[in-house]
Amino acid sequence: MKVSSAALFLTLVSNASAFAPNTFVRTPSTGRNFNVEMAAGSEAQTAEENEVTRVSKKSQRLGFMKSDQFYRNGFKEVRKDVEGLMEGQFKSTLVDELKEKEFVIERDGVKVHLASDFGFCWGVERSIALAYEAVKHFPDRKVHITNELIHNPEVNDNLDDMNVNFIEKIGEGKKDFSVVGNKDVVILPAFGASFEEMKLFNDKDVEVVDTTCPWVSKVWNTVDTHQKKGLTSVIHGKYGHEETVATVSFCEDYICVKNMDEAKMVSDYILNKGEDKEVFLKYFKNAVSEGFDPDTMLKNVGLANQTTMYKKETRAIGQMLQKTMMEKYGPVEVGKHYMEFDTICDATQERQDAVHELVVNAEKLNLDFILVVGGWDSSNTAHLLEIPVLAGIRSFHINRSECISADNTITHRTMSGEIVTEPFISDLSKDVVMGVTSGASTPDAAVQDSLSSIFLLKKVSRSSE
């Protein structure tokens, strides 16, 4: 991990083409951007003309971003201090040594094979740097964040130690924004924020620091394209995940499918092979747009995804939906009824490929188990666990080094999401060979701490023999 590259990340800006002309003006009283209501025109105005005058959510979002109180590129005057702080918190000499030695080391009777791609992605690193810079740039302001910055306990604990207020969730997807006062600072996390939240802050006299990962913004642009083309967005993602909550807020019509089984239910409904309408809507009641009508809204669909999903599954869903539309409307017409873009984050795919390589070579490497380090709420980390587990390899997903106990037990998250504690190393008297990887929101220091716990466990067992 090169934390010093945070400065490079923070200079990244969106493509100029994304900032298309929109209908916003600045109000002199607050300096904020507000939508200009279009003249209604005559009653004879056509539906097509009405569509032209309607301002899309994307246009409104880009308007919010042009405000003088909206920040996306950080604060240069505190950048050097933040780089030093991040290096001290997240750098790992052990991980650096692993990379220098072709991702393999032996220590205290433990041989470690590190996945070739692992840990912090540049989007996460950029997000942390932006958040840290915001705290230092506004030392006398109350700083809030709308969610966990990323799904990593150490990083969020660090923000808590910096007196950042995590907005309280009050049930049913609602949050208590009453605590945000005038002149406060609000950080939007790496997952992004919903359209409604962005509009709320745009209307308040607050400073907004947007740390949204550009890959997430790319998905938002994709669903905007679906909207313009009259397509219903099929989102491969978990409807309750923060990123997907933000994404669907930029959709008009949508349905979320979390896996291939749910996508098959959608396909079957399109082909009149599945459940009746009432059963279908009951099953997807929390995963569809308001007023969703599958009879009309599944005629033309576009695929997008939560950026952290398993890419092979997203591709399989895409192929199935394309075949479904081909069967329904014929090969000549399929292009009118189905569209997809690749919105899986590169870092997600690279980490999945790297752990897959460990799995393929597990027998040759004589691996006893694979350790996956990352937040238990982290979707991308959970998918890293799935790969070895589905291949029949003993694997553990831990969120902190403390999950590895001195009594040789390990507390870990299973593929089903259950947190369990069980015996860890089966025979401490023998040498251990293990694989290790970490999610895109996991600092190298967390990997070092976890490996150090295993080295200590093995060392103590040897000294007691």
Side-chain angles (χ1 to χ4, degrees), residues 85-103:
L85 178 61
M86 290 177 65
E87 194 155 332
Q89 289 180 346
F90 305 135
K91 186 177 173 62
S92 161
T93 54
L94 177 60
V95 170
D96 287 346
E97 183 182 347
L98 271 159
K99 289 189 283 189
E100 289 169 3
K101 295 183 176 179
E102 298 184 339
F103 302 93

Side-chain angles (χ1 to χ4, degrees), residues 29-286:
S29 60
T30 64
R32 306 301 277 169
N33 295 309
F34 291 89
N35 186 304
V36 178
E37 291 188 4
M38 308 301 293
S42 67
E43 293 181 3
Q45 187 176 36
T46 66
E48 183 177 354
E49 288 170 333
N50 274 320
E51 179 64 23
V52 170
T53 61
R54 185 175 62 81
V55 182
S56 71
K57 289 180 178 179
K58 177 182 176 180
S59 293
Q60 293 181 67
R61 172 170 63 89
L62 296 179
F64 303 155
M65 291 163 61
K66 290 181 180 180
S67 165
D68 293 336
Q69 292 168 267
F70 195 101
Y71 305 89
R72 298 183 67 242
N73 297 316
F75 307 95
K76 291 181 180 178
E77 81 280 2
V78 296
R79 187 156 300 157
K80 197 162 187 180
D81 288 345
V82 166
E83 288 176 358
L85 178 61
M86 290 177 65
E87 194 155 332
Q89 289 180 346
F90 305 135
K91 186 177 173 62
S92 161
T93 54
L94 177 60
V95 170
D96 287 346
E97 183 182 347
L98 271 159
K99 289 189 283 189
E100 289 169 3
K101 295 183 176 179
E102 298 184 339
F103 302 93
V104 183
I105 61 167
E106 289 189 61
R107 186 169 297 176
D108 297 318
V110 181
K111 187 172 186 178
V112 178
H113 294 270
L114 176 65
S116 58
D117 276 292
F118 62 94
F120 272 171
C121 64
W122 69 266
V124 162
E125 197 169 342
R126 170 184 175 275
S127 239
I128 298 170
L130 280 168
Y132 280 19
E133 286 185 14
V135 174
K136 287 188 172 292
H137 180 76
F138 296 105
D140 301 320
R141 304 274 193 98
K142 182 65 178 176
V143 181
H144 309 269
I145 188 166
T146 62
N147 248 315
E148 292 184 340
L149 180 71
I150 59 174
H151 282 150
N152 179 267
E154 289 97 346
V155 172
N156 292 307
D157 286 349
N158 290 341
L159 288 172
D160 187 57
D161 291 341
M162 296 165 78
N163 295 318
V164 174
N165 174 53
F166 288 75
I167 299 292
E168 183 184 0
K169 296 180 182 179
I170 52 178
E172 297 182 2
K174 296 180 181 179
K175 301 172 188 173
D176 182 13
F177 291 118
S178 66
V179 297
V180 180
N182 288 342
K183 307 300 181 183
D184 284 357
V185 179
V186 178
I187 297 172
L188 308 184
F191 315 110
S194 71
F195 172 80
E196 292 77 17
E197 290 178 0
M198 292 182 75
K199 186 176 187 307
L200 171 69
F201 298 131
N202 186 73
D203 293 346
K204 280 179 171 282
D205 184 16
V206 298
E207 311 285 350
V208 176
V209 179
D210 182 14
T211 80
T212 304
C213 174
W215 275 97
V216 175
S217 301
K218 180 182 176 182
V219 179
W220 296 351
N221 291 336
T222 295
V223 298
D224 180 72
T225 301
H226 293 167
Q227 176 183 318
K228 289 175 179 176
K229 293 183 178 293
L231 305 173
T232 293
S233 295
V234 177
I235 312 294
H236 178 211
K238 302 168 184 176
Y239 68 80
H241 188 279
E242 294 94 325
E243 181 189 324
T244 300
V245 169
T247 295
V248 300
S249 75
F250 291 97
C251 297
E252 292 296 329
D253 304 319
Y254 68 84
I255 182 168
C256 297
V257 295
K258 69 179 178 182
N259 52 33
M260 193 68 177
D261 290 341
E262 291 191 351
K264 181 69 163 54
M265 291 174 67
V266 172
S267 173
D268 287 346
Y269 193 92
I270 293 170
L271 297 173
N272 302 314
K273 297 178 181 178
E275 304 286 357
D276 64 31
K277 185 174 182 177
E278 184 179 353
V279 173
F280 183 87
L281 287 174
K282 184 177 181 180
Y283 181 87
F284 286 104
K285 64 180 179 180
N286 295 317

Side-chain angles (χ1 to χ4, degrees), residues 3-46:
V3 179
S4 60
S5 60
L8 173 62
F9 301 151
L10 294 175
T11 61
L12 292 175
V13 294
S14 300
N15 292 333
S17 60
F19 293 86
N22 53 66
T23 53
F24 284 83
V25 295
R26 186 174 301 282
T27 58
S29 60
T30 64
R32 306 301 277 169
N33 295 309
F34 291 89
N35 186 304
V36 178
E37 291 188 4
M38 308 301 293
S42 67
E43 293 181 3
Q45 187 176 36
T46 66

